[in-house]
Amino acid sequence: MGLWTLLLQLHLVFGVSLTPPSDVSISSFNMEHTLNFLPGPGTPSDTHFTVQIVNDRKNLWRPVVGCLELTAGQMCNLTRVFTDPYTRYKARVQAFTTTQTSSWTESAVLGPLDVSVSGCGNCLILQLKPPATKGLQCNLQLENLYKAVILHVRRTRDGAQFRLNLPYSEEKVIMYLQPGVEYCVSISVTALFNSNHVASKPHCAFTSHPPSRSSLYLLVGLLGFFCILGFLITGLVVNGGQRSFTILRQHLSTSLSYTSTSSRSEELDWANWF
């Protein structure tokens, strides 16, 4: 181990020439944490690989005992060095031979998640799934790595936005939204062993189905119809009132004329009598 470490330090001076490892990632299953990687294209058969880790608190890369001279296809067990469950860790791998070294390749970025969004009246329902892995058969149950999801919510109509930081689960509900309005949600994750994360593309949906254009036209038409009907009824009432008042006035005038004529006839009769 001392010889390989010495050779590694010496050849750092002569530059980087090996193809770096690829598909570096950390899998977690039943509290066992394993680093997996693939050799880069064209890597010589006598190449070895060394692993280092870093955490958020110390921010200092350190070698992993037992993973300093790995060969292609070997995995690195990180269970004993990932001692703090509340600290995020990150790992990196470097290829080297007796005469060459490669650049470091850090553990794969987590995300983006596979996301589907649907409305539920005044809320949105989010279905979250870990991204499909490629090239690593041992990279199982990525969901065990996720600690939290960060939701960036934006209202399409006016750009109003807010952010939520929630524990990871496959289904999330964003409550207290405006009904019938479109919102766009971008999602990123934080993980137990990796502080790198990539936000998903915005996923947009209406909280509830907005009224269609035909419905709007029908509503406007109905409002116009009832307004016209109201004007007609008001006009008929006003016109009917005026006609009734005219008839009443004519009736009163006739009654008064008749009363006046009757009074004069009686006076003449009384005069002739005497």
Side-chain angles (χ1 to χ4, degrees):
M1 181 178 68
L3 177 61
W4 283 114
T5 303
L6 178 60
L7 290 173
L8 193 61
Q9 293 175 349
L10 288 175
H11 289 292
L12 284 174
V13 181
F14 297 100
V16 175
S17 56
L18 284 178
T19 304
S22 62
D23 290 334
V24 178
S25 62
I26 302 169
S27 61
S28 177
F29 182 69
N30 291 337
M31 300 306 295
E32 293 286 331
H33 313 304
T34 307
L35 181 138
N36 306 275
F37 63 92
L38 293 175
T43 299
S45 58
D46 61 341
T47 302
H48 289 77
F49 303 87
T50 185
V51 179
Q52 294 183 350
I53 63 167
V54 68
N55 61 46
D56 288 347
R57 297 185 179 181
K58 295 183 178 180
N59 199 26
L60 178 65
W61 290 98
R62 58 190 180 91
V64 178
V65 177
C67 299
L68 299 179
E69 300 179 17
L70 299 176
T71 58
Q74 278 190 299
M75 297 179 293
C76 176
N77 192 328
L78 301 175
T79 304
R80 292 185 178 181
V81 293
F82 286 171
T83 56
D84 189 348
Y86 300 102
T87 298
R88 285 183 294 210
Y89 292 89
K90 187 164 53 176
R92 65 181 184 180
V93 183
Q94 184 184 51
F96 66 93
T97 64
T98 55
T99 58
Q100 297 174 308
T101 61
S102 73
S103 59
W104 291 96
T105 303
E106 295 186 4
S107 52
V109 174
L110 293 179
L113 294 171
D114 294 330
V115 182
S116 64
V117 183
S118 59
C120 53
N122 65 339
C123 58
L124 290 176
I125 299 176
L126 280 65
Q127 299 290 342
L128 311 178
K129 292 183 179 180
T133 58
K134 296 180 180 180
L136 289 177
Q137 297 179 353
C138 298
N139 195 8
L140 303 175
Q141 296 196 4
L142 277 176
E143 61 268 19
N144 291 336
L145 299 179
Y146 296 125
K147 292 177 62 178
V149 290
I150 303 171
L151 309 179
H152 307 268
V153 186
R154 182 179 180 274
R155 189 164 57 194
T156 305
R157 183 182 62 195
D158 56 6
Q161 54 187 331
F162 60 90
R163 171 175 164 168
L164 296 173
N165 196 330
L166 304 172
Y168 175 79
S169 63
E170 291 188 353
E171 180 176 291
K172 291 294 176 185
V173 180
I174 306 175
M175 301 292 295
Y176 309 114
L177 302 178
Q178 188 174 354
V181 174
E182 185 182 44
Y183 291 84
C184 293
V185 184
S186 298
I187 302 170
S188 55
V189 297
T190 59
L192 184 63
F193 309 122
N194 197 337
S195 58
N196 294 330
H197 52 82
V198 175
S200 69
K201 65 179 183 179
H203 297 269
C204 302
F206 284 89
T207 49
S208 57
H209 292 293
S212 63
R213 290 183 176 271
S214 58
S215 299
L216 290 175
Y217 293 151
L218 178 61
L219 180 61
V220 172
L222 288 175
L223 288 176
F225 171 76
F226 283 115
C227 288
I228 294 173
L229 183 61
F231 285 131
L232 289 175
I233 294 174
T234 303
L236 290 173
V237 171
V238 172
N239 186 46
Q242 290 178 348
R243 293 182 62 186
S244 299
F245 179 73
T246 301
I247 294 172
L248 180 61
R249 186 174 61 180
Q250 291 176 353
H251 179 71
L252 289 174
S253 177
T254 303
S255 299
L256 290 173
S257 298
Y258 175 77
T259 303
S260 177
T261 303
S262 298
S263 298
R264 288 181 181 180
S265 297
E266 290 177 358
E267 289 177 357
L268 289 175
D269 290 341
W270 279 103
N272 291 334
W273 178 266
F274 291 102

